[in-house]
Amino acid sequence: MLENQVDEEENWNLHTKKMKFSKEEFKAMGSLFKKRFTNISKTVVTNRIWLKSAKSSSCHVLISFPPNSSYETIHTLLDKILKAGLIVFIKEHKISNSIGFYITASYERFLQGAEELELKKLIKQKYGGGIKEFIFAEQEFYENIENEDLFLTTQEKQSIIYEILCQIKCDHSVEELILGKKKVPNGRKLIFWCQKHKIIHHIMPIHDQEELKDLRKNWVISFLKNQPLDKICNYFGIKLSLYFAWLGFYTKSLLIPAVLGLAMWLTTGQDEKIDSILFLILCSFNLIWSICFNDLWNQKCAEYSYKWGTLDMKDDLLQEPRPMFKGEYKLNKVNNKLEPHYSDFKRALFRYLVTLPSLVAVIIMTVVIMLKFFELQSLFEYATSNGIFPELFGLTNFIPKMVYANVISFLNSVYKKMCHWLNDKENYREQTTHENHLIIKIVIFQFINSYLSLFYIAFYLHDIALLKEQLYAIFISRQLTGNFKEAIVPYVMESLKQIKKIDKANKKHDSEKPINTELTNMVDKLKRYVIIYNEQNEIETNSYPCDEDSIELNQPEIESLMPKYPDTFGDYLEMVMQYGLMVFFAPAFPLAALFTLINNFVEIRSDAFKMCFLYQRPFGERVANIGRWQDVLEAFSTLGIIVNCGLLVTFGVVQKLVPSLSFYESFALIVLIEHIFLCFNKILSYSLPKLPKWIIVAKSKLEYRRREALRKFEMDEMHTLKRSNSQEKF
């Protein structure tokens, strides 16, 4: 016992030296921040801390609890998690003064979870090859089954653990649970209930430092290389990798429109007739491009889904209620389980009495703000023309447009929060239904806020010059502020927060204040319980991933200070609204495609930076496509045909090219052009196959090989049976 105390003191002294060294670094960092970020590269705090933190390669998921959580609550949750077949390590978090569960599982439990998640895995060539849903009882047929690290990625293991945790429910027929002085309702999923009532602080997957370093090197800072989509898929999951695949495909497809738009911008202004011809060409190309883009992406998406094993993913007709779904608990008539139910009448009542009036209010407010900014614009123009304000090479008149563009961005964030609140109140049962209605609400709200002023200028004021100036303002303001607000500012702010928290912890340990013995004793009791449970159930475990006596900071503890990734929703929304701006008004603003191309090129690396430096690692999700966003893109393409043909009327293109035509004749011609493009859109979408031919051939080959392998296997079984029967006779 005495020797252990001596060892602890030595380790503590060693650790204090390390912490003093890191504290000096943090103070140096603080002085740099005070000097107006003269050396911004040294704000990479998270990266530097990780270099000094202990790795947790043997653990995959962290559950942390708030400070001052009771022993009874943590012990009850620990018992439930252990009985679910998971392996738990207990660690004291010195920075947050709390307890963390470091969770992993045995390889056998991972394989059982892979079957429950219906993960698709490669079949060995001698059994026909191809991809098939994993079946635990037939594991010998799968490729690399002998090697745990090759067979399952860390992301898949984390998803399996998360699914196991989500299936832990409170069953009053077995026992009644009281957590945090609150009784857990019967049938509730324990993890979600604890998160809702703040009994659990964090539940997050842990980063793999080696894989993360590789992504930072080959993805974040490799501007001129293709994205390593397979590595992104293996590390972050299919849903996130599909977003980056779509964004990359979208960016590459902008190359030709950008070149054409730049050429048109350089050649316009010399002759009115030539300008009209170029406008008609750009308008026609823009429509063809938007139609082909969606159909070609559908095929490309099918390729990715086939490669990643989600192409034939079936819709779950028996979806369980989402965690935040509220209602009166009743028996489900389908599965005879106790589940919350919510009246459709109440939902419809809220939708018609609250959601729709809110939409009308947003339209009215947007119109009022738009008209006020037009008045401000007129005031600035009057002031500059009369010498009250200096012109500054025309920049003065540009100020209201820039301000209005940023006001639109601000209102979009306000409307987004409003839509989340409205959607939560409508209280949809399934997660997919909840997300689909949220997408529809936010797209409608942001469509009104972002595009109403442009439609007003183009089709009511018929002011082409003002339309171009407003588009300039929108694109330039997004280029200057968009990625800076999304990545740089949050990263610097989070880095400062981490410095403050860790420096505060250092001061606490450097001082002579006594160690929190109550927390330490609680950790020791929980560790002893885990050891006894593992011995009784003959569970083999490795040593602790992070020994608290040997090092102060550890990787998951640092990651718990990072913000949680908010999902791909906001990223898709930003890009889809940008796509709409491009499809609707590119003919009026030829540089739109070029600005969009530059923005997206930076956006890819900016989003990659956020994933690898700023946010906690998200749990991977398996999806077959980009979901409802594809419907929004196709709707924008169809609406773009109408808007572009309307611009032909606004610009008077047909009348300039054929002056002999009357207004009504030119209008009829434009309507005819519109119908031709609408028909082209429908014909192309129906004529192109949903799956590329090579996928159809590959699936057919695999099916043929599988049948042949099965037939051969059955024949071998029959011959073996005959031999055994003949031997029995003799």
Side-chain angles (χ1 to χ4, degrees):
M1 190 72 183
L2 184 61
E3 291 177 359
N4 291 336
Q5 289 180 354
V6 172
D7 291 339
E8 287 180 4
E9 289 178 2
E10 290 178 354
N11 287 328
W12 177 258
N13 293 332
L14 178 63
H15 167 67
T16 307
K17 292 177 183 179
K18 292 182 179 180
M19 291 306 298
K20 285 181 179 178
F21 173 72
S22 60
K23 184 179 177 182
E24 292 173 2
E25 285 188 328
F26 296 145
K27 287 182 178 178
M29 297 283 285
S31 64
L32 289 173
F33 289 133
K34 292 177 183 177
K35 294 177 182 178
R36 294 175 178 259
F37 304 97
T38 53
N39 193 353
I40 197 70
S41 64
K42 293 189 178 181
T43 62
V44 189
V45 182
T46 307
N47 210 18
R48 297 182 67 185
I49 294 171
W50 266 351
L51 294 176
K52 296 178 176 16
S53 65
K55 297 182 181 181
S56 296
S57 57
S58 59
C59 289
H60 299 93
V61 174
L62 167 67
I63 294 181
S64 63
F65 298 90
N68 303 320
S69 296
S70 68
Y71 173 79
E72 291 74 18
T73 298
I74 297 177
H75 179 271
T76 302
L77 283 172
L78 175 62
D79 182 66
K80 290 291 182 183
I81 293 172
L82 289 172
K83 288 178 179 177
L86 298 175
I87 298 171
V88 183
F89 299 100
I90 314 295
K91 174 73 170 68
E92 179 182 347
H93 286 179
K94 299 291 177 64
I95 294 177
S96 58
N97 200 30
S98 62
I99 292 175
F101 287 178
Y102 293 65
I103 303 175
T104 185
S106 64
Y107 188 33
E108 181 181 4
R109 188 68 183 94
F110 276 131
L111 293 179
Q112 292 170 353
E115 182 178 14
E116 293 168 7
L117 274 183
E118 299 179 350
L119 295 181
K120 290 192 175 181
K121 290 296 176 180
L122 288 171
I123 301 290
K124 292 178 179 178
Q125 288 297 323
K126 63 180 180 180
Y127 298 117
I131 300 176
K132 184 179 179 294
E133 289 180 1
F134 178 75
I135 300 174
F136 183 79
E138 301 174 357
Q139 55 186 272
E140 66 274 8
F141 297 124
Y142 294 88
E143 197 75 51
N144 297 320
I145 188 66
E146 301 82 6
N147 190 317
E148 178 180 350
D149 294 330
L150 291 178
F151 189 71
L152 291 172
T153 64
T154 56
Q155 175 267 133
E156 288 173 333
K157 291 178 180 179
Q158 290 163 349
S159 298
I160 291 168
I161 291 174
Y162 186 66
E163 181 64 22
I164 294 171
L165 291 171
C166 291
Q167 295 305 316
I168 301 175
K169 294 182 179 181
C170 175
D171 188 356
H172 283 185
S173 63
V174 179
E175 62 176 329
E176 292 187 358
L177 293 180
I178 298 177
L179 298 175
K181 298 181 180 180
K182 296 178 182 178
K183 183 179 178 181
V184 184
N186 188 30
R188 291 292 179 91
K189 291 187 175 181
L190 207 55
I191 297 299
F192 295 136
W193 189 88
C194 289
Q195 284 182 298
K196 180 181 177 181
H197 292 86
K198 302 188 185 307
I199 294 172
I200 289 177
H201 189 212
H202 286 296
I203 174 168
M204 65 179 203
I206 299 171
H207 274 293
D208 184 287
Q209 291 194 32
E210 296 302 321
E211 292 183 44
L212 189 62
K213 285 178 183 177
D214 183 61
L215 284 174
R216 288 177 177 179
K217 179 182 177 182
N218 297 309
W219 184 31
V220 180
I221 62 176
S222 299
F223 287 93
L224 301 179
K225 292 183 180 179
N226 289 329
Q227 298 184 85
L229 292 174
D230 289 333
K231 291 182 179 179
I232 298 170
C233 177
N234 289 335
Y235 193 75
F236 289 113
I238 298 172
K239 184 176 182 179
L240 198 66
S241 57
L242 266 183
Y243 162 72
F244 282 103
W246 174 82
L247 183 56
F249 183 82
Y250 174 35
T251 303
K252 288 179 180 178
S253 68
L254 287 167
L255 285 170
I256 297 176
V259 172
L260 185 63
L262 179 62
M264 179 179 172
W265 182 74
L266 292 172
T267 54
T268 52
Q270 299 177 0
D271 182 78
E272 190 178 69
K273 191 171 184 179
I274 293 175
D275 290 350
S276 298
I277 293 172
L278 291 174
F279 184 88
L280 183 61
I281 292 172
L282 185 59
C283 190
S284 303
F285 178 82
N286 188 50
L287 295 179
I288 295 172
W289 173 85
S290 65
I291 293 168
C292 294
F293 167 76
N294 287 305
D295 290 320
L296 292 175
W297 164 249
N298 280 330
Q299 291 203 337
K300 194 67 177 177
C301 182
E303 292 181 18
Y304 290 126
S305 300
Y306 177 75
K307 188 197 304 185
W308 297 330
T310 57
L311 180 63
D312 299 323
M313 192 173 172
K314 298 176 182 178
D315 294 331
D316 190 357
L317 300 178
L318 298 175
Q319 289 188 45
E320 295 195 15
R322 64 189 184 88
M324 301 306 293
F325 179 62
K326 302 174 184 177
E328 182 182 356
Y329 271 74
K330 298 179 181 178
L331 283 176
N332 189 318
K333 295 179 180 179
V334 178
N335 54 23
N336 203 32
K337 292 181 180 179
L338 199 63
E339 290 182 356
H341 285 70
Y342 188 74
S343 170
D344 291 334
F345 175 75
K346 289 182 181 179
R347 185 180 295 113
L349 200 65
F350 185 88
R351 187 186 296 138
Y352 293 120
L353 295 183
V354 180
T355 304
L356 286 180
S358 299
L359 179 61
V360 174
V362 166
I363 295 173
I364 294 171
M365 188 170 69
T366 304
V367 170
V368 170
I369 293 173
M370 176 188 69
L371 294 176
K372 291 298 179 183
F373 267 98
F374 284 148
E375 291 179 10
L376 182 65
Q377 180 68 44
S378 301
L379 182 64
F380 266 71
E381 290 175 356
Y382 174 80
T384 52
S385 61
N386 288 278
I388 301 173
F389 292 163
E391 290 192 11
L392 299 176
F393 305 102
L395 292 176
T396 304
N397 290 337
F398 208 60
I399 292 175
K401 301 180 183 66
M402 292 292 291
V403 173
Y404 183 54
N406 284 283
V407 167
I408 289 175
S409 179
F410 170 74
L411 289 176
N412 280 339
S413 63
V414 174
Y415 294 154
K416 185 178 178 182
K417 293 180 180 177
M418 180 180 172
C419 289
H420 276 281
W421 181 81
L422 290 171
N423 210 55
D424 289 341
K425 289 296 181 182
E426 289 180 12
N427 196 27
Y428 294 99
R429 180 183 182 275
E430 291 85 10
Q431 184 65 31
T432 52
T433 309
H434 174 83
E435 290 179 358
N436 290 339
H437 280 84
L438 183 61
I439 289 171
I440 293 170
K441 285 185 182 67
I442 292 185
V443 167
I444 291 174
F445 276 63
Q446 297 216 6
F447 182 91
I448 294 167
N449 185 52
S450 301
Y451 302 144
L452 185 62
S453 62
L454 299 173
F455 287 129
Y456 179 79
I457 295 169
F459 301 117
Y460 184 79
L461 298 179
H462 297 282
D463 191 337
I464 307 305
L466 181 59
L467 177 63
K468 290 182 177 180
E469 289 175 2
Q470 190 63 41
L471 288 167
Y472 264 110
I474 291 173
F475 276 99
I476 290 174
S477 66
R478 288 185 178 179
Q479 292 282 353
L480 294 176
T481 63
N483 291 304
F484 184 78
K485 285 193 303 182
E486 288 180 17
I488 304 300
V489 172
Y491 181 72
V492 172
M493 296 304 295
E494 290 301 326
S495 297
L496 287 170
K497 287 180 184 178
Q498 290 184 28
I499 291 174
K500 187 176 180 180
K501 289 179 181 178
I502 298 172
D503 193 37
K504 185 178 179 181
N506 293 343
K507 288 178 180 178
K508 188 186 296 183
H509 291 301
D510 288 342
S511 65
E512 295 181 356
K513 292 183 179 180
I515 301 172
N516 189 342
T517 55
E518 183 181 351
L519 184 64
T520 304
N521 292 335
M522 189 187 301
V523 170
D524 290 338
K525 287 172 67 178
L526 293 170
K527 283 183 178 180
R528 285 197 296 270
Y529 178 77
V530 171
I531 292 170
I532 293 170
Y533 181 89
N534 290 340
E535 288 176 352
Q536 289 177 349
N537 293 274
E538 298 180 354
I539 298 173
E540 295 183 4
T541 60
N542 297 323
S543 59
Y544 268 77
C546 307
D547 190 350
E548 64 206 294
D549 296 328
S550 62
I551 193 162
E552 177 67 18
L553 296 177
N554 63 77
Q555 176 192 339
E557 190 174 359
I558 299 301
E559 289 178 34
S560 66
L561 303 177
M562 299 168 131
K564 185 179 179 181
Y565 178 62
D567 197 12
T568 56
F569 191 94
D571 296 322
Y572 270 123
L573 180 64
E574 179 190 356
M575 291 294 103
V576 166
M577 299 308 293
Q578 180 211 73
Y579 174 83
L581 202 63
M582 163 78 188
V583 170
F584 296 154
F585 299 105
F589 182 57
L591 292 178
L594 180 61
F595 280 162
T596 303
L597 175 64
I598 296 171
N599 178 79
N600 288 7
F601 183 77
V602 178
E603 182 77 24
I604 291 173
R605 306 304 165 180
S606 169
D607 289 345
F609 175 85
K610 290 189 293 184
M611 297 306 306
C612 294
F613 285 91
L614 179 60
Y615 290 124
Q616 295 174 3
R617 183 178 182 179
F619 284 102
E621 295 183 52
R622 302 176 70 245
V623 295
N625 47 54
I626 63 174
R628 185 68 70 181
W629 295 111
Q630 184 64 36
D631 299 331
V632 176
L633 291 170
E634 292 175 359
F636 276 9
S637 296
T638 303
L639 185 60
I641 296 172
I642 301 171
V643 173
N644 278 254
C645 290
L647 291 175
L648 292 176
V649 176
T650 302
F651 278 71
V653 172
V654 176
Q655 289 179 307
K656 290 176 183 178
L657 292 175
V658 189
S660 59
L661 292 178
S662 66
F663 173 78
Y664 294 104
E665 290 174 335
S666 63
F667 182 78
L669 182 60
I670 290 171
V671 171
L672 177 63
I673 294 172
E674 175 201 28
H675 280 66
I676 290 172
F677 276 108
L678 288 172
C679 290
F680 173 72
N681 185 14
K682 293 295 181 184
I683 292 171
L684 190 65
S685 62
Y686 282 114
S687 60
L688 282 177
K690 298 299 180 184
L691 295 178
K693 188 175 180 180
W694 72 267
I695 291 182
I696 298 173
V697 173
K699 289 179 70 177
S700 301
K701 283 183 178 179
L702 290 175
E703 183 62 25
Y704 173 76
R705 289 175 186 170
R706 193 173 293 123
R707 290 182 182 181
E708 287 295 307
L710 180 61
R711 187 175 63 83
K712 184 180 178 182
F713 179 76
E714 289 175 348
M715 292 296 294
D716 292 341
E717 287 290 317
M718 289 177 62
H719 288 308
T720 305
L721 185 62
K722 285 181 180 178
R723 282 194 222 99
S724 62
N725 290 335
S726 61
Q727 289 174 0
E728 286 177 3
K729 289 180 181 179
F730 288 106

